[in-house]
């Protein structure tokens, strides 16, 4: 090969090499661009992922926030009604005190209780009760507006903390509006649910300057409202004193029963035609060593509250039976009537109590009449029926007291072994003035006849009433006309002094 | 097959036998890529086969011998290009054991589509190790050369015995590497 050819060959080789290098570099660049594009897309995806993640985190945080708020609200909220619960109420009360004391302002605490709410639950079921509470709650909230906080403290108790409306009258209006709101019936499943409310009000700082006293005083006022059947009552210091007195008395009652300061007084029941004594009713009286005679209206309630009815009844039997036994023996009377409280049926066994005491006192069962009010029929009919049955089997007679103004129905009367109905004194009181009452009484006489029950009219105070009742067929009469309740000694004196009180032979 | 094998092969040929030989074997093999290889590219394995075949014809040396030599070259190049792999393994046996689990894992990060052989450690003792080489390409000669260079790098006088074994998953080559007889511990 010539040198020229060699050089040409060499150049050709070098050119081919250069070509290969160039191609390889081009390939490398292309791959680089490809990689860059890949990287760009990867970055884009990452950015999107990051944004998505951030969005989700925010969403989740929002959800958690909401859940937390709901939990907090639930902790402060009454589940059924959505009102503030007791916890929040206490807090609001404290806050209101702080704010009012700082600004020199006033506010009112209302405590509200629904009367006869238990009946709705008992007769129509808890669902109806719940619905009623819910509606009552929303009505109260509407009435209270945004100047007052309404709370449900539990059961059928509500509380309202109301800011000062400028003058005291605003609170009276609010109280009336609240009780009105409660009184409106609630319609549920075609039924009308009704209850009423009692309200007690205490004012900061007029009545008390701390949460404890404020609640206590509102409670006292509420208690007073319930007792006096007022819709609402504002607390006053007098109430507090009275309550303290009542407390003191209550504390002494157990001892009083034990020591015999509580005793039986007697009132006669006479035959309507002959006016002769057929039986005596034993009535409880408390001769307090320093306070004098305390009316049963006061201490019977206390006895119920303190669970002393059983002891009271035993004391009454022990006080009355020996006397009555002597009077029966000497022909002054035929039988003894004694009252039993419905709570004794609920809390224990009346039949056992009575049977035990009759045995202890050696008193003939046929000469005892047990008087019970209609209330006993409301709460536990079966229990009552069972116990009354046992008493009847023994020969004890049974009278339904305060008949004609409450819940009794003929169904009950047919089922229970009563011998007599004692007409409530309000019927006797109104009969001369109201024709309607006379009609009712006439009908009741027929009813008693149809049921085979004896009818006894209470509260007979004048001759006109006595005559009319005798005429219409009521055969037994009791009342001041024939004698007020007196001690055993007083009774004997009255017998001795008046021929009219000789017993029916 | 990744381009790095091609570029290293051509560099090896150029260094040992001159760049004219490079031109010649490329011309002989007439690869579709035109022999323009870049390390980050991917090219058909058949082109490597053709180049090795062309070199064998031109040199008269058996292909396996050439591959063994190339293997040594390649491994030496790796000690320069990727020193970290060698630095992280204190001994030859550690290094060989790390090929599958570590080195090739890293390789796939850069070249996800790389077709790499597997080097499974079958047995290992203080003075010997069995390394099972399995691949879709019959490049055990290349692997042997690489192992020899690695042993040199670690100063381990190695005797390498290769045996073809028919395994349950297919054939593989077992490299039994032991300390060469007569050599003292380094």
């Amino acid at each position: 090969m010539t040198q020229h050819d060699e050089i040409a060959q060499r150049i050709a080789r070098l050119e081919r090499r250069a070509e290969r290098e160039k191609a390889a570099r081009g390939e490398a660049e292309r791959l680089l661009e490809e990689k860059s594009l890949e990287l760009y897309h990867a970055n884009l995806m990452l950015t999107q992922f990051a944004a998505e993640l951030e969005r989700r985190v925010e969403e989740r945080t929002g959800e958690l926030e909401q859940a937390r708020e709901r939990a907090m609200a639930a902790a402060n909220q009454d589940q059924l009604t959505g009102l503030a619960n007791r916890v929040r109420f206490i807090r609001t009360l404290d806050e209101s005190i702080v704010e009012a004391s700082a600004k020199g302002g006033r506010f009112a605490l209302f405590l509200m209780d629904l009367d006869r709410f238990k009946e709705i639950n008992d007769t129509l079921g808890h669902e109806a009760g719940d619905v009623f509470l819910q509606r009552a709650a929303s009505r109260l909230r509407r009435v209270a507006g945004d100047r007052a906080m309404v709370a449900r403290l539990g059961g059928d108790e509500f509380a309202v903390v109301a800011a000062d409306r400028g003058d005291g009258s605003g609170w009276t209006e609010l109280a009336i509006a609240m009780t009105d709101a409660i009184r409106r019936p609630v319609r549920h499943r075609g039924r009308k649910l009704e209850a009423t409310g009692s309200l007690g009000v205490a004012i900061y700082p007029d009545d008390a300057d701390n949460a404890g006293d404020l609640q206590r005083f509102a409670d006292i006022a509420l208690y007073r409202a319930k007792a006096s059947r007022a819709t609402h009552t504002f607390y006053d210091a007098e109430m507090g004193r009275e309550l303290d007195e009542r407390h003191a008395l209550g504390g002494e009652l157990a001892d009083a029963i034990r020591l015999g300061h509580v005793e039986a007084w007697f009132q006669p029941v006479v035959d309507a035609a002959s006016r002769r004594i057929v039986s005596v009713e034993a009535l409880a009286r408390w001769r307090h060593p320093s306070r004098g005679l305390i009316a049963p209206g006061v201490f019977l309630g206390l006895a119920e509250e303190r669970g002393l009815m059983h002891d009271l009844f035993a004391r009454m039997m022990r006080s009355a039976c020996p006397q009555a036994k002597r009077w029966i023996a000497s022909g002054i009377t035929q039988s003894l009537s004694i009252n039993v409280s419905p709570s004794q049926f609920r809390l224990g066994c009346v039949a056992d109590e009575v049977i035990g005491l009759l045995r202890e006192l050696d008193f003939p069962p046929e000469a005892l009449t047990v008087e019970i009010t209609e209330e006993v029929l409301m709460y536990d009919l079966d229990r009552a029926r069972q116990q009354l049955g046992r008493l009847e089997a023994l020969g004890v007679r049974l009278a339904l007291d305060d008949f004609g103004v409450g819940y009794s129905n003929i169904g009950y009367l047919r089922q229970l072994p009563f011998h007599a109905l004692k007409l409530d004194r309000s019927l006797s009181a109104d009969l001369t003035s109201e024709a309607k009452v006379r009609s009712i009484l006439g009908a009741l006489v027929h009813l008693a006849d149809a049921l085979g029950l004896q009818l006894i009219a209470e509260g007979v105070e004048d001759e006109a009433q006595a005559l009319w009742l005798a005429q219409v067929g009521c055969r037994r009469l009791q009342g001041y006309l024939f004698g007020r309740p007196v001690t055993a000694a007083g009774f004997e004196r009255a017998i001795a002094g008046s021929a009219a009180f000789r017993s029916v032979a | 097959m990744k381009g790095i094998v091609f570029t290293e092969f051509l560099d090896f040929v150029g260094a040992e036998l001159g760049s004219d030989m490079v031109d010649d074997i490329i011309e002989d093999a007439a690869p579709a890529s035109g022999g323009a290889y870049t390390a980050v590219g991917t090219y058909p394995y058949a082109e490597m086969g053709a180049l090795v075949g062309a070199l064998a014809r031109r040199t008269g040396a058996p292909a396996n011998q050439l591959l063994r030599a190339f293997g040594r070259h390649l491994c030496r190049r790796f000690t320069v290009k990727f020193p970290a792999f060698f630095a992280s393994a204190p001994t030859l046996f550690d290094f060989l054991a790390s090929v599958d689990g570590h080195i090739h894992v890293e390789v796939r990060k850069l070249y996800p589509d790389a077709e790499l052989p597997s080097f499974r450690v079958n047995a290992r003792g203080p003075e010997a190790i069995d390394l099972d080489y399995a691949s879709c390409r019959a490049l055990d000669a290349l692997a042997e050369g690489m192992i020899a260079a690695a042993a040199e790098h670690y100063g381990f006088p190695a005797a390498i015995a290769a045996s073809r074994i028919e395994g349950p998953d297919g054939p593989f080559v077992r490299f039994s590497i032991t300390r060469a007889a007569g050599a003292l511990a380094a």
Side-chain angles (χ1 to χ4, degrees):
Chain A
M1 201 188 311
T2 65
Q3 203 182 26
H4 182 267
D5 288 334
E6 269 185 38
I7 290 171
Q9 228 184 41
R10 183 125 297 272
I11 290 173
R13 272 187 193 275
L14 290 172
E15 279 175 347
R16 280 201 300 275
R17 246 176 254 170
E19 275 305 311
R20 285 204 301 271
E21 294 297 314
K22 198 167 126 191
R25 197 178 72 228
E27 170 83 352
E29 281 164 2
R30 192 188 61 75
L31 287 168
L32 181 62
E33 274 169 21
E34 220 175 76
K35 278 287 163 200
S36 294
L37 205 60
E38 259 180 57
L39 196 62
Y40 166 77
H41 283 297
N43 260 341
L44 198 63
M45 269 180 70
L46 277 174
T47 311
Q48 281 172 354
F49 275 150
E52 176 68 13
L53 198 63
E54 210 173 297
R55 189 190 63 77
R56 288 211 201 144
V57 165
E58 251 181 72
E59 213 174 83
R60 192 88 185 96
T61 309
E63 280 171 20
L64 287 172
E65 231 349 272
Q66 270 178 20
R68 196 181 73 90
E69 270 169 36
R70 272 198 302 271
M72 295 240 352
N76 285 329
Q77 220 176 42
D78 171 63
Q79 298 288 59
L80 178 65
T81 59
L83 296 174
N85 62 8
R86 185 182 280 273
V87 170
R88 185 149 155 242
F89 160 70
I90 302 280
R91 214 176 40 235
T92 304
L93 191 59
D94 288 339
E95 284 166 10
S96 303
I97 290 177
V98 167
E99 194 185 321
S101 85
K103 295 188 185 164
R106 304 156 78 214
F107 70 85
L109 169 63
F110 295 70
L111 286 184
M112 182 175 224
D113 209 294
L114 299 182
D115 303 321
R116 318 242 314 232
F117 173 72
K118 190 175 187 305
E119 280 170 40
I120 295 181
N121 268 338
D122 287 348
T123 56
L124 298 173
H126 281 276
E127 194 209 322
D130 282 354
V131 166
F132 186 85
L133 285 174
Q134 284 169 330
R135 302 265 182 86
S138 66
R139 284 179 190 166
L140 287 175
R141 227 200 323 240
R142 244 200 325 272
V143 159
D146 53 8
R147 299 274 294 277
M149 183 211 73
V150 184
R152 179 178 175 215
L153 302 183
D156 60 350
E157 285 178 68
F158 296 87
V160 174
V161 178
D164 194 353
R165 289 176 178 222
D167 58 11
S169 69
W171 287 323
T172 305
E173 275 160 29
L174 182 57
I176 294 172
M178 278 171 49
T179 44
D180 278 351
I182 294 292
R183 268 168 214 280
R184 277 197 346 264
V186 168
R187 290 213 167 273
H188 172 67
R189 301 251 178 106
R191 295 186 128 122
K192 224 161 53 153
L193 310 176
E194 281 185 288
T196 53
S198 301
L199 229 168
V201 194
I203 312 229
Y204 174 94
D206 306 28
D207 296 330
D209 64 359
N210 66 78
D213 283 344
L214 215 53
Q215 285 182 80
R216 203 159 57 84
F217 292 167
D219 208 31
I220 290 174
L222 171 61
Y223 181 83
R224 173 58 67 90
K226 278 173 118 57
S228 64
R229 312 219 174 194
T231 56
H232 67 273
T233 306
F234 280 75
Y235 175 80
D236 64 53
E238 181 56 37
M239 253 177 243
R241 272 196 292 278
E242 281 180 31
L243 197 70
D244 289 340
E245 260 188 47
R246 202 165 174 283
H247 265 303
L249 213 57
E252 297 172 36
L253 183 55
D255 282 339
I257 294 173
R258 199 170 44 81
L259 294 169
H261 296 166
V262 174
E263 59 183 18
W265 283 25
F266 302 90
Q267 189 182 33
V269 177
V270 305
D271 175 78
S274 66
R275 303 296 177 86
R276 292 206 157 110
I277 296 177
V278 289
S279 85
V280 284
E281 184 181 348
L283 297 156
R285 292 291 184 271
W286 180 0
R287 274 212 269 218
H288 194 281
S290 53
R291 293 180 210 252
L293 205 59
I294 299 183
V298 174
F299 70 82
L300 285 180
L302 285 173
E304 294 275 12
E305 277 171 32
R306 286 165 182 268
L308 292 170
M309 283 315 291
H310 170 85
D311 294 338
L312 181 63
F313 178 73
R315 168 68 195 139
M316 284 294 289
M317 284 286 278
R318 288 178 186 132
S319 169
C321 288
Q323 303 289 1
K325 210 162 130 184
R326 281 196 359 258
W327 294 335
I328 291 171
S330 54
I332 294 177
T333 182
Q334 292 171 358
S335 68
L336 169 69
S337 270
I338 195 156
N339 290 284
V340 169
S341 156
S343 69
Q344 287 173 262
F345 282 86
R346 274 203 312 279
L347 300 173
C349 183
V350 172
D352 284 342
E353 279 180 67
V354 170
I355 292 169
L357 285 160
L358 286 174
R359 203 170 292 148
E360 175 195 315
L361 299 163
D362 191 24
F363 191 90
E366 322 73 55
L368 182 70
T369 301
V370 163
E371 294 188 13
I372 318 151
T373 58
E374 297 174 309
E375 215 188 307
V376 74
L377 305 176
M378 267 303 289
Y379 290 108
D380 205 334
L381 187 58
D382 286 330
R383 207 182 160 86
R385 186 188 343 192
Q386 199 194 48
Q387 297 184 37
L388 292 175
R390 282 180 64 199
L391 289 172
E392 196 221 5
L394 204 62
V396 172
R397 299 167 71 72
L398 306 164
L400 186 60
D401 209 351
D402 296 344
F403 181 72
V405 290
Y407 331 107
S408 307
N409 65 49
I410 297 175
Y412 290 158
L413 291 178
R414 286 178 62 205
Q415 288 182 52
L416 297 168
F418 285 108
H419 301 97
L421 299 176
K422 293 191 78 173
L423 296 172
D424 187 75
R425 57 195 64 238
S426 63
L427 288 168
S428 305
D430 294 337
L431 76 85
T432 43
S433 57
E434 294 185 37
K436 192 162 171 191
V437 175
R438 290 197 289 275
S439 300
I440 292 172
L441 278 169
L444 287 176
V445 169
H446 286 309
L447 176 66
D449 261 349
L451 292 167
L453 298 171
Q454 203 171 67
L455 207 57
I456 305 168
E458 289 186 280
V460 180
E461 293 182 9
D462 63 46
E463 215 26 75
Q465 292 168 349
L467 283 173
W468 191 89
L469 284 162
Q471 245 169 35
V472 87
C474 181
R475 299 223 303 273
R476 298 280 149 102
L477 306 175
Q478 181 180 355
Y480 287 173
L481 182 62
F482 311 107
R484 294 171 174 260
V486 289
T487 60
F491 192 77
E492 282 172 5
R493 274 198 301 278
I495 298 288
S498 166
F501 281 164
R502 277 190 319 268
S503 164
V504 176
Chain B
M1 182 168 251
K2 296 312 288 185
I4 188 173
V5 184
F6 291 88
T7 54
E8 289 301 327
F9 181 65
L10 294 180
D11 281 351
F12 163 66
V13 172
E16 297 293 310
L17 300 166
S19 30
D20 283 1
M21 178 63 79
V22 176
D23 298 332
D24 291 339
I25 61 174
I26 288 175
E27 230 185 282
D28 290 350
S33 61
Y37 299 110
T38 176
V40 297
T42 309
Y43 309 92
Y45 172 70
E47 291 186 17
M48 173 59 74
L51 288 166
V52 172
L55 186 64
R57 274 194 303 280
R58 286 228 172 211
T59 58
N64 277 350
Q65 185 183 317
L66 294 169
L67 283 172
R68 222 169 280 130
F70 171 47
R72 282 182 189 271
H73 168 89
L74 190 61
C75 188
R76 270 183 237 122
R77 288 287 297 142
F78 282 170
T79 62
V80 170
K81 280 177 94 112
F82 313 112
F85 288 142
F86 297 84
S88 62
T91 69
L92 172 68
F93 290 4
D94 289 333
F95 171 75
L96 292 174
S98 77
V99 171
D100 237 12
H102 176 56
I103 295 174
H104 283 179
V105 168
E106 293 299 307
V107 170
R108 284 195 189 91
K109 285 182 189 174
L110 287 174
Y111 307 106
D113 55 344
E115 292 158 323
L116 297 163
S118 76
F119 282 98
R120 200 174 60 83
V121 175
N122 181 58
R124 180 178 170 175
E127 298 291 294
I129 187 170
D130 277 356
L131 207 60
D132 290 352
Y133 162 87
S135 170
C136 47
R137 321 252 185 257
L139 291 170
D140 46 287
L142 180 73
E144 196 181 320
M146 292 184 79
I147 293 170
E152 263 176 44
H153 173 82
Y154 279 96
F156 184 90
I160 306 172
S163 37
R164 222 158 291 267
I165 297 179
E166 194 63 45
D169 299 322
F172 64 91
V173 174
R174 176 162 291 165
F175 291 109
S176 299
I177 301 135
T178 53
R179 182 182 294 280
L184 295 166

